[in-house]
Amino acid sequence: MKRMLSAIKPTGQLTLGNYIGALRNFVKYQDDYEMYVFVANLHCITVYQDPKQLRKNLKDAVALYIACGLDPEKSVIFLQSDVMEHAQLGYIMACNTYLGELNRMTQFKDKMAKNETGLTAGLYTYPCLMAADILLYDPDYVPVGDDQKQHVELTRDIAERFNNRYSETFKVPEPLVSKVGKRIMSLNDPLHKMSKSEGNDKGCVYLLDDLKAVRKKIMSAVTDSVGIIQIDQENQPGIYNLLEIHSALSGESKESICNRYQGKGYGELKAEVADIVCGELEKIQSRYNEIISSGMIDKILEDGANKAHYIAYKKLAKVQRKIGIEINKK
Ligand code: AQP
């Protein structure tokens, strides 16, 4: 069975973007692949997090993984920092990554361009830790949203470089970006990605949002003055985003939705999207409540960390042997 690995970093509450672009796909894949999904808590702290809030976000993320359909019997679910090999291999990966490569990473460049202050060294070297996260487990595929593809490509470059320098060690993974929902945009700023930590609550639907608030956000989504429901991402990004969300969740193609909406107004489309999103969130939230009150999370994470550690430990030992940092081992 081929292996897949992915993660989400709960720098805030998980969003509809995380669900459509990532989580929902993990759930589909878990029947056909050996699936490893972790909560990337080390990546969270590349930006300051209030410790109490972070603890809550991490627990909520695990509960939401399961509420969205990840099954701990089928997928290995764990917390990144519970498997210490991630940080250790991350350092070794940083020693095999060039500054020029990190300087080219769009996510970091965007933050630099916005003149954000207090950018940390951890944020800069985050792609090295991400390479370690992936390469420890030799996955065949890494399902990601559009924005993370560049990091998986860097991971491939680092893996190939390492294999060439020290002999075959890592499987070179493929990024897997789904066609629909690869980039859900903000509802009130459809030229920017829906992001959990941008502080733009009106544009972002959180999976644990009150459903009335979700409906209000969708009904207030920014559109345009064209007045026709059609597929035109460039001139009607807001409508395109609503069609994308609808299509990703309902399975109906954007073309078919547009055909049904000939001669109808934006308000009707928004109301239908709101119904679909709220229907999906209602199911997730009810399962989330059951999971939180069941107390099952600790056991799931313990089992997951044990399974992940078994693989990560062997891989790190192999890497350390190959690069020559251990004495008396060949
Ligand atoms: N808006 C989105 N549309 C489609 N996919 C998305 N993903 C995130 N937002 C969208 C995908 O979810 C996975 C986990 O992402 P992440 O939360 O670990 O990191 P991120 O992409 O940096 O998400 P945010 O919300 O924008 O985080 P912050 O605000 O902290 O930087 C990835 O596969 C991602 O592509």
Side-chain angles (χ1 to χ4, degrees), residues 9 11 17-18 21-22 144-145 147 182 184 193-197:
K9 64 172 161 52
T11 38
N18 290 136
V144 283
D147 56 324
K182 61 185 179 194
I184 300 302
K193 192 183 103 170
M194 184 182 281
S195 262
K196 62 179 106 60
S197 61

Side-chain angles (χ1 to χ4, degrees), residues 6-23 26 40 43-44 47 49 65 107 111 126 143-149 151 181-186 192-199 204:
S6 204
I8 296 180
K9 64 172 161 52
T11 38
Q13 286 287 321
L14 301 196
T15 70
L16 186 65
N18 290 136
Y19 178 63
I20 293 178
L23 257 176
F26 305 166
H43 288 292
C44 288
V47 173
Q49 305 289 321
Y65 278 14
Q107 280 199 348
K111 289 204 191 282
Y126 141 72
V144 283
D146 200 25
D147 56 324
Q148 291 290 343
K149 199 167 163 226
H151 291 147
K182 61 185 179 194
R183 187 176 283 236
I184 300 302
M185 309 307 271
S186 163
H192 287 100
K193 192 183 103 170
M194 184 182 281
S195 262
K196 62 179 106 60
S197 61
E198 289 280 308
C204 185

Side-chain angles (χ1 to χ4, degrees), residues 299-328:
K299 178 81 175 89
I300 290 170
L301 289 181
E302 190 186 331
D303 288 352
N306 286 338
K307 287 181 197 155
H309 181 250
Y310 179 73
I311 295 183
Y313 165 81
K314 285 196 287 187
K315 180 61 84 180
L316 181 69
K318 186 173 186 180
V319 168
Q320 297 200 148
R321 247 188 347 263
K322 291 217 176 183
I323 61 179
I325 58 170
E326 292 188 337
I327 300 174
N328 294 333

Side-chain angles (χ1 to χ4, degrees), residues 13 24 32 38 86 111 135 140 174 191 212 265 286 311:
Q13 286 287 321
R24 204 175 54 115
D32 301 317
F38 62 93
H86 285 247
K111 289 204 191 282
L135 298 177
D140 297 277
E174 299 275 345
L191 295 178
K212 275 199 198 125
S286 125
I311 295 183

Side-chain angles (χ1 to χ4, degrees), residues 201 204-214 217 281 285:
D201 278 1
C204 185
V205 171
Y206 299 96
L207 297 182
L208 295 177
D209 261 349
D210 171 69
L211 296 184
K212 275 199 198 125
V214 173
K217 287 180 190 183
L281 295 194
Q285 291 181 5

Side-chain angles (χ1 to χ4, degrees), residues 169-268:
T169 308
F170 298 120
K171 185 172 268 182
V172 181
E174 299 275 345
L176 206 69
V177 182
S178 64
K179 286 199 184 79
V180 182
K182 61 185 179 194
R183 187 176 283 236
I184 300 302
M185 309 307 271
S186 163
L187 292 172
N188 68 351
D189 179 7
L191 295 178
H192 287 100
K193 192 183 103 170
M194 184 182 281
S195 262
K196 62 179 106 60
S197 61
E198 289 280 308
N200 177 5
D201 278 1
K202 285 191 185 142
C204 185
V205 171
Y206 299 96
L207 297 182
L208 295 177
D209 261 349
D210 171 69
L211 296 184
K212 275 199 198 125
V214 173
R215 190 169 291 276
K216 195 166 168 205
K217 287 180 190 183
I218 296 173
M219 293 309 292
S220 324
V222 166
T223 50
D224 53 70
S225 54
V226 177
I228 301 169
I229 296 170
Q230 58 191 354
I231 303 171
D232 183 352
Q233 188 172 12
E234 201 180 327
N235 298 307
Q236 297 180 265
I239 289 295
Y240 185 87
N241 194 36
L242 291 172
L243 291 170
E244 186 83 350
I245 294 171
H246 187 314
S247 177
L249 295 179
S250 68
E252 185 178 358
S253 71
K254 291 201 255 318
E255 289 77 7
S256 157
I257 304 167
C258 290
N259 285 338
R260 285 197 293 109
Y261 273 90
Q262 288 303 308
K264 292 188 185 168
Y266 291 173
E268 285 167 274

